[in-house]
Amino acid sequence: MTTTHRLRLSEMTGLTPLITTTTVADPQAAYRALAERWGTIAPVELEPGINAWLVLGHHELCQVVRNEQLFSRDPNNWRMFYEGVVPPDSGLGPMMFPRDNCYFADGDKHRRLRAPLDEGLAGLDEHRMSRFIRATCADLIRGFSNQGTADLVSDYAAVVPMLTVAGLFGLPPAQGHQLRAALIALFSSAEDSQPAAHELERILTGAMEARRQAPADDLTTAFLNHNNLRNDYEIQQSMVLMISAGYETTTSWIAQSLRLMLADNRFAGRLRGGRLGLDDALDEVLWRDPPMSNMPARYALVDCELAGMPIERGDALILGLGAANQDPRVHTDDSWLEVGNRSHLAWSAGPHACPAQRAGRMITRIAVDTALHQLHDVTLSVPADEIQLLPSPWTRCPASLPVRFTPSGPVPR
Ligand code: HEM
């Protein structure tokens, strides 16, 4: 691709909708078609009339996320947002509208708000956390193991991460379930989001009050004691960020891993035959189907050119993590050569790279391992090609994974 396109992003019409890259059976074919037409940065349509650049190349993606002087994380720099082109009830809102936390901040403000997260996560007692996750997984499996059938997404993959992250903040499972319901409502529709926001606030304020009275070895106490968080509002926003950022991503990683193990005989054979360790298998999922296939966003702070494309100040750039992972400059098709290669961008890179890589891996590894061991003859109860994906432009998380297995008696604690 050598031609330089001079049309402004906002003037382009007939663009590929971003959601086609996540909902098709072969997302890589969709990314390849875009790259063949446009190169390593392609214009796409987020919603009718709302366009963005999709960064497809590994090198270009690293350039964008590692250069916050040129590409901001703050949606207040998004022209279509500040000019009011994006309607307030847009489906893009939950992922792209600004909130007051480190996720949407740059520079010093980002570093100030990010430090409590990094330090809190670094201080976790991983043995205790691992015991907690194992017990959570066993409890959930105990809830359906005598039925012989389950939906491994709604009964398991979507529950383990929320109960775990809630547990890191010292919240018991019952409140973890309440948090999950509130979060789903908050991000689903405008009508539900107001009461859900109040419910979320009620639960988190309660946790903060409880820890003020009785400090404990948990993230709520760590956030309360951190000098960088200046008031209750900042503490609460940091809690909401951790809980929401950890939820869908980890759900998707667990669900995608289980789907591959149940539906892809080659993958399952390599794993069961001992030729692929569980951690390498999980990495292969991060390469093939990263939890966030497309990640919003960065906003250009100046007019510039990237991979031959004219980027204008205020344009949005979506991180095509799934596409960048298959960039032939960093990845071959030979799964044997790829064992141990962790240069994928599933966690992104640069100052906003996921701070919870160890925690996310621990949750996923234990959840997948426990399911495969405790439901040892588990099989899909629908043909693999009938597994539906959640209708999202960001993730390719299976909507459900109906399975059957031999019903068992109680699972030992
Ligand atoms: C397990 C699978 C996970 C994956 C694949 C994942 C991936 C990501 C990615 C791609 C980003 C965005 C980076 C960017 O915009 O450049 C991110 C940010 C973030 N993630 Fe994760 N994540 C996972 C789990 C978690 C968990 C379990 C937590 C919390 C307990 C978490 C907390 C965060 C936070 C707070 C940020 C924002 C960091 C910042 O803006 O500085 N993530 N994650």
Side-chain angles (χ1 to χ4, degrees):
M1 244 298 309
T2 50
T3 337
T4 300
H5 296 264
R6 283 293 152 211
L7 212 52
R8 299 177 66 198
L9 181 64
S10 54
E11 291 163 356
M12 296 186 185
T13 52
L15 297 177
T16 306
L18 180 66
I19 198 161
T20 59
T21 65
T22 46
T23 47
V24 287
D26 183 357
Q28 292 309 327
Y31 288 133
R32 266 196 309 276
L34 281 169
E36 273 158 25
R37 177 163 177 211
W38 300 102
T40 48
I41 302 207
V44 290
E45 185 185 75
L46 300 183
E47 276 185 355
I50 303 176
N51 300 338
W53 300 105
L54 178 63
V55 187
L56 300 161
H58 190 279
H59 172 68
E60 291 74 9
L61 204 151
C62 288
Q63 259 182 301
V64 169
V65 295
R66 292 193 171 132
N67 196 338
E68 61 183 348
Q69 278 80 28
L70 292 183
F71 302 107
S72 162
R73 190 75 170 84
D74 182 350
N76 291 303
N77 294 308
W78 183 18
R79 195 177 50 254
M80 289 199 160
F81 176 71
Y82 63 68
E83 285 180 352
V85 178
V86 188
D89 60 350
S90 161
L92 301 169
M95 291 294 281
M96 294 185 73
F97 286 0
R99 281 189 299 280
D100 214 359
N101 57 41
C102 82
Y103 191 82
F104 293 105
D106 299 315
D108 289 347
K109 183 175 179 195
H110 172 258
R111 308 302 185 268
R112 175 174 72 78
L113 293 172
R114 165 89 182 218
L117 277 53
D118 284 331
E119 289 165 30
L121 286 161
L124 289 175
D125 176 343
E126 292 194 351
H127 290 293
R128 198 169 54 141
M129 182 174 164
S130 139
R131 281 196 304 277
F132 182 86
I133 305 169
R134 265 180 219 294
T136 303
C137 294
D139 271 348
L140 291 171
I141 291 177
R142 194 176 301 111
F144 56 70
S145 61
N146 59 359
Q147 293 164 16
T149 60
D151 170 3
L152 285 184
V153 176
S154 64
D155 296 334
Y156 192 70
V159 191
V160 177
M162 182 55 80
L163 297 192
T164 305
V165 179
L168 297 181
F169 283 99
L171 294 166
Q175 284 197 315
H177 287 291
Q178 288 170 357
L179 267 185
R180 181 168 166 247
L183 210 67
I184 292 170
L186 186 70
F187 287 131
S188 62
S189 77
E191 290 140 53
D192 291 348
S193 70
Q194 200 61 15
H198 289 312
E199 172 68 352
L200 207 62
E201 197 182 313
R202 187 189 64 75
I203 298 170
L204 300 182
T205 312
M208 285 156 62
E209 283 315 312
R211 287 302 175 254
R212 273 207 179 92
Q213 304 295 324
D217 183 9
D218 61 26
L219 288 181
T220 307
T221 311
F223 283 10
L224 282 169
N225 290 339
H226 205 291
N227 289 335
N228 283 18
L229 298 173
R230 293 175 180 159
N231 50 46
D232 281 7
Y233 176 70
E234 286 192 351
I235 296 174
Q236 205 189 85
Q237 288 302 310
S238 302
M239 292 170 85
V240 173
L241 171 61
M242 290 282 276
I243 289 163
S244 52
Y247 172 53
E248 274 196 3
T249 44
T250 317
T251 298
S252 178
W253 195 10
I254 299 171
Q256 281 292 15
S257 306
L258 290 171
R259 182 188 68 85
L260 268 178
M261 287 163 192
L262 295 170
D264 181 331
N265 288 337
R266 244 184 84 234
F267 186 81
R270 283 161 59 221
L271 186 69
R272 294 224 165 90
R275 287 175 295 148
L276 191 66
L278 183 52
D279 271 312
D280 290 326
L282 295 182
D283 274 315
E284 193 166 320
V285 178
L286 291 183
W287 277 107
R288 281 167 69 164
D289 252 320
M292 298 302 293
S293 313
N294 303 312
M295 180 90 202
R298 298 296 188 272
Y299 307 96
L301 292 174
V302 292
D303 294 349
C304 58
E305 191 170 293
L306 199 61
M309 290 295 171
I311 313 289
E312 275 193 315
R313 180 171 173 217
D315 282 356
L317 295 99
I318 306 296
L319 313 178
L321 304 176
N325 277 359
Q326 297 301 318
D327 186 328
R329 291 174 292 181
V330 293
H331 191 261
T332 68
D333 277 339
D334 185 338
S335 48
W336 291 111
L337 288 180
E338 293 308 325
V339 173
N341 179 354
R342 285 193 176 169
S343 62
H344 58 71
L345 289 173
W347 310 103
S348 188
H352 289 271
C354 181
Q357 300 180 26
R358 278 182 74 84
R361 181 177 290 273
M362 189 190 292
I363 303 169
T364 305
R365 164 179 241 293
I366 295 175
V368 170
D369 191 47
T370 310
L372 293 181
H373 277 94
Q374 298 204 345
L375 307 170
H376 53 92
D377 61 353
V378 61
T379 53
L380 283 174
S381 48
V382 296
D385 57 6
E386 283 179 20
I387 293 170
Q388 303 289 316
L389 301 175
L390 288 177
S392 160
W394 314 118
T395 169
R396 285 176 40 80
C397 183
S400 68
L401 275 178
V403 293
R404 66 167 79 88
F405 48 86
T406 306
S408 68
V411 177
R413 273 185 194 269

